[in-house]
């Protein structure tokens, strides 16, 4: 913990990030993270303590098994992350602010020492996040603010399990743990689309393997149904992004582009309702996403986590489902420059990783 505090202090004093805004931003990040880290409780002790509420004890036991599975079966880091627990006392641990120009789907990025450039800013305070969003809106940008249930320090500190990670079932928890640990396994600077798609691929394959290992065939069926709906949702969003790119690249006036943008988003909502009521038999799991405002920032945020997932899943299959070989292959791709990396991933026809003992 002391090492982490020194590291954040070093960032604040790094040349190029010494403005009042930067210092304030890093200070809130440090304060928020330190508050969480100092509230950690050991998972094993919570399980053994008879005063621990039975429901929490059961969740901790499940989380403990999931964490061990991540190391034993998925070759994810064997460290102290997710071996402690914190009740954060709110529905989200952080809030992420995404922004994009009014007539572009390219998100604005912010760059930080160590972590590189990412298409969002994270806040431990919802008020700070909404204030930043309001300032970005005054600059004429589309803005999207969303609550986050888990985050990773990429191994710089021992990330704990959070109460926000326990709001759904064990499958959801397993996915979060596998996803966040994947960021500790491979992380490429300045390429969020690569990093997030890789983590989603580890999450997806890991959850499938875990459900099979515990013999939860009903849970696996539910998970696969959720994944199919997710793919169909993303296809709808992708179609709308293609329509909007055509609008933004066109020669229309700002008013014409604004009207076409609004029409494209309304078509997206209509297509969703049709799919929900017909193909999905009324499943409403995505209603909240569509009922809230939709803009370029929200569409861009969705693409960051999804566009390259199929390519990573295909690479995983090429590696015969062998996680060490898959990770080695991803690391080799990550060592390429950004343009070559995307091309190599999309065109991969073999596993690049050598077999590891």
């Amino acid at each position: 913990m002391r090492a982490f505090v020194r590291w954040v202090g070093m960032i604040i004093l790094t040349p190029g990030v010494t403005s009042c805004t930067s210092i304030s931003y890093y200070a809130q990040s440090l304060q928020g993270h330190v508050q969480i880290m100092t509230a950690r409780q050991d998972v094993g002790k919570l399980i053994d303590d008879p005063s621990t509420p039975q429901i929490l004890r059961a969740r901790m036991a499940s989380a403990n098994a999931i964490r061990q599975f991540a190391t034993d079966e998925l070759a994810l880091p064997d460290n102290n992350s997710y071996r402690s627990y914190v009740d954060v006392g709110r529905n989200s641990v952080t809030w992420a602010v995404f922004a994009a120009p009014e007539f572009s789907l390219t998100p604005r990025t912010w760059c930080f020492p160590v972590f590189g450039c990412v298409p969002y800013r994270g806040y431990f305070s919802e008020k700070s996040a909404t204030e930043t969003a309001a300032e970005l809106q005054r600059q004429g940008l589309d803005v999207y603010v969303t609550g986050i249930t888990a985050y990773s320090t990429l191994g710089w500190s021992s990330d704990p399990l959070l109460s926000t990670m326990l709001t759904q079932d064990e499958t959801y928890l397993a996915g979060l743990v596998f996803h966040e640990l994947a960021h500790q396994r491979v992380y490429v600077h300045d390429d969020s689309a690569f990093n997030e798609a890789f983590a989603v691929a580890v999450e997806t394959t890991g959850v499938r393997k875990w459900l099979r290992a515990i013999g939860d065939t009903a849970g696996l069926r539910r998970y696969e149904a959720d994944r199919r709906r997710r793919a169909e949702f993303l296809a709808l969003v992708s179609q709308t992004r293609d329509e909007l790119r055509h609008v933004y690249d066109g020669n229309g006036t700002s008013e014409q582009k604004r009207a076409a943008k609004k029409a494209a988003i309304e078509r997206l909502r209509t297509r969703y309702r049709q799919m929900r009521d017909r193909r999905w038999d009324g499943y409403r799991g995505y209603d909240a996403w569509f009922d809230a405002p939709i803009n370029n920032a929200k569409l861009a945020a969705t693409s960051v986590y999804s566009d390259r997932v199929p390519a990573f899943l295909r690479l995983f299959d090429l590696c015969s489902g062998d996680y060490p070989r898959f990770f080695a292959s991803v690391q080799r791709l990550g060592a390429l420059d950004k343009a070559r990396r995307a091309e190599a991933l999309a065109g991969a026809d073999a596993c690049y990783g050598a077999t590891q003992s």
Side-chain angles (χ1 to χ4, degrees):
M1 190 63 224
R2 288 192 296 271
F4 180 78
V5 172
R6 288 196 300 271
W7 168 69
V8 176
M10 175 193 70
I11 288 177
I12 293 175
L13 297 175
T14 298
V17 296
T18 54
S19 71
C20 292
T21 300
S22 295
I23 292 174
S24 175
Y25 178 77
Y26 287 115
Q28 69 86 29
S29 297
L30 173 61
Q31 181 182 18
H33 186 66
V34 167
Q35 286 175 345
I36 287 175
M37 296 297 285
T38 54
R40 289 177 298 172
Q41 297 176 275
D42 182 81
V43 167
K45 292 181 179 179
L46 283 171
I47 294 172
D48 294 337
D49 188 346
S51 68
T52 302
Q54 185 59 39
I55 293 177
L56 179 58
R57 186 186 299 176
R59 295 307 302 272
M60 291 298 96
S62 176
N64 206 32
I66 289 168
R67 179 63 184 86
Q68 198 60 46
F69 185 89
T71 295
D72 293 345
E73 302 296 331
L74 309 184
L76 290 170
D78 185 8
N79 54 30
N80 286 326
S81 290
Y82 309 111
R83 301 189 190 276
S84 60
Y85 171 73
V86 176
D87 185 341
V88 300
R90 53 184 186 264
N91 294 329
S92 300
V93 62
T94 62
W95 287 263
V97 180
F98 295 84
E102 183 182 9
F103 301 129
S104 172
L105 290 162
T106 301
R108 175 172 174 175
T109 59
W110 288 269
C111 298
F112 307 98
V114 181
F115 292 101
C117 300
V118 294
Y120 56 82
R121 289 190 73 159
Y123 293 87
F124 283 90
S125 162
E126 185 176 16
K127 180 175 181 289
S128 296
T130 55
E131 288 174 350
T132 296
E135 174 57 31
L136 292 167
Q137 285 178 318
R138 285 192 288 270
Q139 297 173 22
L141 296 169
D142 283 5
V143 175
Y144 172 53
V145 180
T146 184
I148 304 298
T149 56
Y151 69 93
S152 173
T153 60
L154 308 182
W156 282 89
S157 63
S158 299
D159 300 326
L161 293 164
L162 305 170
S163 53
T164 50
M165 301 169 68
L166 306 180
T167 56
Q168 298 186 41
D169 61 13
E170 292 179 358
T171 300
Y172 177 75
L173 174 61
L176 287 175
V177 171
F178 301 158
H179 183 111
E180 299 304 336
L181 285 172
H183 286 312
Q184 294 187 23
R185 193 65 173 78
V186 179
Y187 184 84
V188 178
H189 280 218
D190 304 336
D191 199 340
S192 291
F194 185 90
N195 293 326
E196 294 301 338
F198 161 69
V200 171
V202 174
E203 168 192 335
T204 302
T205 59
V207 167
R208 286 170 174 160
K209 186 169 185 175
W210 177 69
L211 289 170
R212 292 189 185 103
I214 64 174
D216 189 354
T217 54
L220 182 58
R221 285 195 298 269
R222 289 193 298 272
Y223 183 71
E224 295 296 359
D226 286 342
R227 296 303 303 173
R228 287 192 294 271
R229 284 191 292 262
R230 177 71 176 171
E232 290 169 354
F233 158 72
L234 292 172
L236 286 184
V237 172
S238 179
Q239 180 181 354
T240 298
R241 292 206 315 266
D242 289 342
E243 292 174 4
L244 288 173
R245 287 191 190 95
H246 181 73
V247 170
Y248 300 154
D249 291 341
N251 296 320
T253 65
S254 293
E255 286 302 317
Q256 289 171 332
K257 290 182 178 181
R258 201 166 288 125
K261 175 183 179 181
K262 181 179 179 180
I265 290 171
E266 287 309 309
R267 285 195 300 274
L268 171 61
R269 286 194 170 98
T270 298
R271 287 193 290 263
Y272 165 68
R273 288 191 292 267
Q274 291 172 344
M275 183 171 68
R276 177 196 67 192
D277 297 339
R278 299 173 186 174
R279 186 175 180 85
W280 290 1
D281 297 323
Y283 174 82
R284 294 180 173 272
Y286 288 86
D287 276 11
W289 194 94
F290 284 95
D291 289 343
I294 300 173
N295 58 28
N296 292 336
K298 190 171 184 176
L299 296 171
T302 302
S303 70
V304 166
Y305 285 81
S306 62
D307 282 359
R308 299 183 188 177
V309 173
F312 276 107
L313 291 175
R314 186 169 58 85
L315 180 61
F316 181 77
D317 289 339
L318 289 170
C319 292
S320 303
D322 183 303
Y323 283 94
R325 292 184 65 213
F326 175 58
F327 295 152
S329 188
V330 173
Q331 286 173 326
R332 288 187 62 182
L333 290 170
L336 302 174
D337 66 69
K338 195 169 185 178
R340 288 182 60 207
R341 185 184 310 139
E343 182 180 351
L345 174 63
D349 58 4
C351 180
Y352 301 121
T355 301
Q356 299 179 0
S357 59

